[in-house]
Amino acid sequence: MKHKAVRRRSVVMGIGATAGIAAIGGIAVGAQAAGTSSASSSSDGLLFDPDGYTEITTTLTDTDGTDHEVTYHFWKAITYVSKPVDATYQSLIVSVPVTIDGKAVDASDAPIVLSNVIAGYVESSVAEATGIGGAAMGGTPPTGGGGPSSAPPSASASPTPSASAGAPAGGGGAAAMPQMALLAGYVVVEPGARGRTLTDSSGEYYGTAPAAIVDLKAAVRYIRHNRGRIPGDVDRIVSVGVSAGGALSALLGASGDSPLYDEYLKEIGAAHASDAIFATGAWCPITDLEHADGAYEWNWGTNTTQSTGKTVDQTVSKDLRTQFAEYQAALKLRGLNHFGTLTARNYDEYLLKQYLQPSATTYLAGLSDTERETYLAANTFITWKNSKASFTWEDFLTHVGTRKKTAPAFDAFDLSAGENNEFGTGTTKARHFTAYGLKNDITGVTGTRVDSDIPEKLRLMNPMYHLLEKTNPKRTRHWWIRLGTSDTDTSHVISANLAAAANSLGDQVDHRYYWDQGHGANIDLPDFVAWVAGITGHKSALK
């Protein structure tokens, strides 16, 4: 492909840094943003300009601390729908590697990594981005780490020795993913999306559920609509995200081409193309929101709360644990590795055997003898025998220490949780989305049932619906799911259920925990890009 002459500039940044952080509220500069009002012609204006790039040379540092000179083509903010509600957020940026350390890279058929930085279901923008990693989020980004004070920097928590055992604690956060993918020789697309805090001049919320997932689907449709124009293999789109972004990545994978979203996509002028993706990468996904309160209390109900130093109201905690037990029994999910049916009675045993003890084993095996001896001396609850770690569930909870959230964690009685805002509507900032939250409301809200539109919005926002209640044949078949063992932003059950649901359908599931890591950790990115190479058959450019 021939390109017109472009300017060349040099930028130096580390893998944990970002280039061109966007200012929320900026204007998207999208030459491809077509303002057609006709639904039938909406796709015609959404054409990617192959020659509309800037060539950038930069230095990226990998997780081993090695610098690499990378030259890539960068496309500034492109509006990906023909009738945007707000182009500041409904736009994407594209980065395509040209050379890495002087070696030419052919990315014409490389996997396309769709990397979102959504946190807390808050809006994100690429409107002012001037280089890769330039997406800016409106919420507080997950940073990883956050383990107990006795824990030294953690290695990868894979059940088998990992190539990324020397990765820094906490990884590089959400910003590290697009840069690592570019280093691997993959095409990187970073989409912005509307989020729950956006209001217009009349005070109406226009980014609450299901806006974020609708926007991500529209971004995928834009990519696939531009087959042959946009570099990369549009049939090998891999979605990645952390926290709420991980939940949305999982939802994108589970709900591919679901007709439930058609009306919303038509409304914003999404391209007439498939929004099914090839693979999902989800780090610490906060999802299954209507059941998240019960799962949280089952997991963390007896731990003291960070903000108060006290346990939560145990009557509320017990009510929610009972709800979780009923929900889990109804799922009839079987655990991985032939564990059997997962219930509230045996889930602690399952988490220990499948995830927690293998995670601790891998971490300890990666330490030197002296480091291991020091760690075990500080953490006497762990039994180290025959090169394997074992401990009880109760001791694990004590090791983690305080929980982050109060009760209920997600549908707060005072409507203060971010998830209450996620289900706001019109000029109403926050609403209850569970019967229990509504029943115990302390803000003056009346009624015996949640608003009539809530059940549909819950389905639109929950990957479990598309995996279990109405199994979606167009879902992804490849799942990469990660969680820190010290992550108390949600229950460990949430990601484990997601993995079990996908596994029950015969999908390929790689779900593991990072020992002593908190919310937002993504410390095995080299393993992830190698996994992408394996499932797509495209060799990574970085050895």
Side-chain angles (χ1 to χ4, degrees), residues 186-205:
Y186 304 154
V187 173
V188 181
V189 176
E190 299 172 72
R194 291 169 291 165
R196 62 180 173 81
T197 71
L198 293 174
T199 57
D200 62 18
S201 58
S202 64
E204 289 207 11
Y205 287 83

Side-chain angles (χ1 to χ4, degrees), residues 31 47 280:
L47 298 182
T280 284

Side-chain angles (χ1 to χ4, degrees), residues 389-434:
S390 62
F391 43 85
T392 68
W393 175 251
E394 291 73 17
D395 284 341
F396 167 72
L397 294 180
T398 300
H399 175 66
V400 172
T402 57
R403 55 186 270 172
K404 181 176 181 179
K405 300 182 177 181
T406 56
F410 299 93
D411 189 358
F413 295 157
D414 63 357
L415 293 172
S416 63
E419 288 75 17
N420 292 123
N421 179 206
E422 173 66 1
F423 291 99
T425 187
T427 57
T428 301
K429 177 181 179 179
R431 293 188 295 168
H432 290 295
F433 53 91
T434 68

